[in-house]
Amino acid sequence: KLYEYFSTGKYIIFSGVSDIYNALKKFDNYNTVEYENTNKIVSYIKKYIQSKNFRKISLKNKRLIQSHFIREKCINKFIDSFN
């Protein structure tokens, strides 16, 4: 699901327990917040909205998802490798 969010290019605030943190380093336009710390999450959301950066779209994230995580494109690359 997280890759679906990154594919929009929109800013993401991630708070979770997962091995995904290493994979997140490939992307930009996101931040991580301590899991289940509601006060920190709310505080960060308010701070970010005030910064006016929440409308920024990451073309890098959109391109990264399109080239590496879209199943149809990955399958086409695989098939082309046989030619």
Side-chain angles (χ1 to χ4, degrees):
K1 197 69 174 172
L2 192 55
Y3 290 133
E4 289 180 40
Y5 296 135
F6 276 118
S7 73
T8 68
K10 295 178 182 177
Y11 187 78
I12 295 171
I13 298 172
F14 180 76
S15 176
V17 178
S18 177
D19 294 333
I20 196 79
Y21 286 102
N22 284 331
L24 291 176
K25 293 176 184 178
K26 299 175 190 174
F27 298 96
D28 62 9
N29 206 30
Y30 78 93
N31 200 354
T32 58
V33 181
E34 183 181 333
Y35 182 64
E36 290 188 343
N37 188 331
T38 308
N39 291 333
K40 278 190 178 183
I41 294 169
V42 169
S43 172
Y44 191 80
I45 290 170
K46 287 179 181 179
K47 181 175 125 181
Y48 192 72
I49 289 172
Q50 290 174 349
S51 76
K52 305 289 188 213
N53 289 328
F54 63 93
R55 297 196 192 281
K56 177 184 168 196
I57 298 294
S58 171
L59 296 178
K60 174 188 172 184
N61 290 353
K62 292 175 87 169
R63 283 188 213 111
L64 190 61
I65 293 294
Q66 184 178 29
S67 65
H68 291 28
F69 300 101
I70 302 296
R71 186 175 303 130
E72 291 78 14
K73 289 198 177 251
C74 292
I75 290 171
N76 285 339
K77 286 179 186 177
F78 176 73
I79 291 170
D80 288 345
S81 71
F82 288 106
N83 293 334

